[in-house]
Every structure is written in C-alpha cells, then in structure tokens.
Amino acid sequence: MGDYKRTTRECTLDSLRPELGEALRAHVEKYNLGDILADAKVCVETVSEKTKKGLFGGGETVYTAAVLTKDWLVWANSGTKTPVHAMSARLNQITVQDYAQSSFAKMIPDTGVNVNGLKTDSPEAGTTFIGLEENAAGVKFRQALIAAAQGA
C-alpha cells in the first residue's frame, strides 16, 4: 500500500480508462446486477504510481476506477503488472473505514479506504484497500462511500 504517488479525479463512466470501464460493465453483466451503473452517484479514477526502491525495485502504475451507486460499490483495477479485475459489493454488506484511521496507517502511511465485508464474487468476507488521493475528488468519494455504507 505505502510508497505510492496517487492522483484521483472525479469522472464519468464514459471517461474512465477503456479497460476499466469495460471491466466494470462485464462484471455487472456477469453477475446479473442489472443497470446499477446508470445510478452512479460518484465515480472516480485513481492513478497510483509506485515509487522505485532500491537497485532492482521497479515501479508499477495501478489504475483504479470506483463507482458508488445508491446500493452498490463497484470497482476495478488494472496496471503495468496487474491484470484487469473488477469487483462489487452491496453497501448493506460492507463497512468502510478511512484508511488513515486504521491501525495499519501508523505502520504504512497511505490514503484511501478499507472496504470490509462480502464481495459479489466471494462467499467469505474480506478486506480490500482502495487507494485515493487526498484531494477534493478523493475526499468527496471517501466521505460519500463511508456515509452510504453507514446508511445502508
């Protein structure tokens, strides 16, 4: 998680990186989630550039799209060393924590959210980190997601 330079922008589904938009739509279709993406409240895209460390520590760039709807969180990742993968979760089946408030933040400083709970494609609860820049778009998404999950 740590050691990333993040850039987050608010966007629309149509202005996402093509592979992320396609992954989100394919995931929604695969799991028969209906037309949930049409109900997007907030959509962001984050570019996370891993800083190089050491002599052989090559950097990596990871792209993340996250869409908050009335009842769902849908997100996708891709990168220079990361295959495209999309996930989703019902807001009433997750809790969301500001990463800066977590116990891990003291050991590995970073910005974003921890999403805990059931994902659509998994029968067991788990935790996923979604990195966000600490800018207007990242803060807006983080606050909206936390409020939506608490209110679900």
Side-chain angles (χ1 to χ4, degrees):
M1 279 184 244
D3 302 322
Y4 280 93
K5 177 185 172 221
R6 301 194 194 283
T7 306
T8 299
R9 68 182 180 95
E10 190 170 357
C11 56
T12 65
L13 284 166
D14 292 334
S15 66
L16 290 171
R17 292 180 60 86
E19 75 274 11
L20 294 175
E22 290 169 18
L24 292 171
R25 288 178 182 92
H27 177 84
V28 167
E29 186 176 323
K30 177 180 180 179
Y31 291 99
N32 298 311
L33 303 181
D35 198 19
I36 63 170
L37 294 176
D39 182 32
K41 288 182 173 183
V42 186
C43 177
V44 293
E45 182 179 274
T46 299
V47 178
S48 301
E49 297 176 82
K50 185 155 181 66
T51 55
K52 294 181 179 184
K53 284 195 163 190
L55 185 60
F56 300 105
E60 179 182 14
T61 302
V62 176
Y63 305 97
T64 303
V67 181
L68 175 62
T69 75
K70 179 178 166 248
D71 297 313
W72 290 87
L73 169 63
V74 186
W75 69 102
N77 298 308
S78 70
T80 53
K81 300 176 185 175
T82 304
V84 181
H85 181 71
M87 296 153 278
S88 62
R90 284 186 177 275
L91 294 175
N92 65 2
Q93 294 181 335
I94 60 172
T95 58
V96 180
Q97 178 187 35
D98 180 349
Y99 179 81
Q101 304 303 314
S102 73
S103 58
F104 293 110
K106 291 179 180 87
M107 295 179 286
I108 305 171
D110 210 335
T111 56
V113 292
N114 284 332
V115 178
N116 305 292
L118 289 173
K119 292 185 284 187
T120 303
D121 59 351
S122 176
E124 296 184 23
T127 301
T128 301
F129 173 77
I130 299 175
L132 299 165
E133 181 183 8
E134 195 64 24
N135 66 352
V139 169
K140 177 181 178 178
F141 186 82
R142 183 183 70 228
Q143 291 174 343
L145 177 57
I146 290 170
Q150 289 174 343

